[in-house]
Amino acid sequence: MRILLVEDEPEMVSALRAALKRHDMVVDHAGSLLEAEGFVAVDSYDAILLDRQLPDGDGLSLVPRLRSAKNTTPVLMLTAKGDTSDKIDGLNTGADDYLAKPFAFEELLARLRALLRRPAPMQSQFIRAGHLVLDVGHREVSIGGEALGLPRRELLVLEALMRRTGRMVQREALMEAVFGLDDEIQSNALDTHVSRLRRKLAYANSGVTINGIRGVGYLLRETT
């Protein structure tokens, strides 16, 4: 699952990113409304965790702009404003849930999972590149209806690259997408996964190639 965390408090960001990653979630972070709008303009997310008090305005103002753009990504508001009237304002504006600070991470996780279980007909559950089709919901990638059967970490690498087809994905972002904080990672671990994935994609006539710049990152290009 891919989550956009919109929060400007460094300690909160660090704690939430670490906790979400332990539950196999990929987390992008935006520290302002402007950054958040940039992220949602170029990427799709399974859910957005959105703080209200941001440096450039009320986070709640992002929600109607998302909805007017037909973006139905579930939004969970995180805020120190816990009054009933504030919660009602948030829900009436288009947010899907509202959690007041301070909160237990277990409650946030339960609410987030509940949001992700809701049907979202407006959101595509498939990512396509070349001949590849990635079924996000079932965690499978296929070519012409035939599953490739990739190991978990190779699938995570592929998903991160397919979400940004044609654009460079920084090495650090790939590491965050593939490895947990508690993993013991060898220096060449990412390169090993990419190398194996590259060979499998070439053998399967996937219609894509993976190109890399040493020390910078990788990008997936369509060849068809």
Side-chain angles (χ1 to χ4, degrees), residues 13 67-69 121 126 152 185 197-198 206 211 214:
V13 171
R67 302 307 183 229
S68 64
F126 300 92
R152 173 178 171 274
I185 307 170
L197 177 61
R198 183 185 280 143
S206 63
N211 302 112
R214 184 180 294 275

Side-chain angles (χ1 to χ4, degrees), residues 19-36:
L20 292 169
K21 284 169 63 179
R22 284 197 296 271
H23 289 270
D24 295 326
M25 299 185 190
V26 177
V27 181
D28 286 342
H29 169 241
S32 66
L33 284 169
L34 184 60
E35 289 182 7

Side-chain angles (χ1 to χ4, degrees), residues 10 72 99 126 145 219:
T72 60
L99 188 58
F126 300 92
L219 77 157

